[in-house]
Amino acid sequence: MKLAFGCDHGGFPAKNELIEFLIEKGYEVIDCGTFSDESCDYPDYAEKVCKLVTEKECEKGILICGTGIGMSIVANKISGIRCAHVTDEFSAEMTRRHNDTNVIALGARITSTENIIKLVDIFLNTPFDGGRHAIRVEKINSFDK
């Protein structure tokens, strides 16, 4: 699976460990930045990641900022993206099972790197349940028009 990854300065401290984990698990990762801990604008990185997902160059996207909130807001403004801001294991599982999300947003200032890795692993390895949830996802997608 090919993944797009993006972070701002708030997410930068978790970046290398997460990308290393993903590569060890066999994922191909496109790193959209940022590439330092200097202050930057998270919308720029969310847009790059989401573009790769909507253009189907990557199957899923991972966004990390200080809280994950800003990244999730930006991502959900982009047509074709269903992004969830995730802080716990249950939400990481259910956002895939019930919402078929294609992007996850996390906060490095509120979630440890160890837990970010765990949440991303759950997100990437949980399938969409389909069934009645597919009807709901279709309704969500209808708002993109």
Side-chain angles (χ1 to χ4, degrees):
M1 183 185 305
K2 195 172 186 180
L3 308 172
F5 174 86
C7 68
D8 71 355
H9 55 282
F12 185 74
K15 174 183 172 171
N16 290 335
E17 279 187 66
L18 178 59
I19 290 177
E20 182 179 314
F21 167 81
L22 294 169
I23 291 170
E24 285 176 7
K25 289 284 191 174
Y27 296 102
E28 183 180 346
V29 179
I30 296 178
D31 185 353
C32 296
T34 190
F35 300 100
S36 78
D37 60 1
E38 289 184 36
S39 183
C40 61
D41 298 330
Y42 60 85
D44 299 335
Y45 302 98
E47 180 182 28
K48 289 176 185 180
V49 166
C50 291
K51 183 177 180 182
L52 290 172
V53 174
T54 60
E55 293 178 354
K56 305 209 183 304
E57 291 183 42
C58 291
E59 193 170 330
K60 291 192 174 57
I62 301 165
L63 299 170
I64 305 177
C65 63
T67 63
I69 297 168
M71 288 285 206
S72 68
I73 291 169
V74 173
N76 283 311
K77 293 279 190 180
I78 298 169
S79 181
I81 296 297
R82 288 179 312 284
C83 177
H85 172 237
V86 174
T87 58
D88 61 86
E89 293 178 30
F90 182 74
S91 297
E93 177 184 351
M94 298 310 287
T95 194
R96 286 288 311 129
R97 289 183 57 198
H98 289 189
N99 309 117
D100 196 22
T101 49
N102 51 11
V103 177
I104 187 173
L106 304 125
R109 293 182 180 150
I110 62 170
T111 306
S112 70
T113 301
E114 178 182 332
N115 281 333
I116 285 173
I117 290 169
K118 187 182 298 182
L119 297 174
V120 168
D121 193 43
I122 292 168
F123 172 77
L124 294 174
N125 289 292
T126 301
F128 177 49
D129 284 351
R132 70 182 191 275
H133 303 292
I135 295 165
R136 296 168 186 160
V137 170
E138 286 176 30
K139 289 181 179 186
I140 293 168
N141 291 341
S142 75
F143 294 116
D144 282 344
K145 297 174 184 163

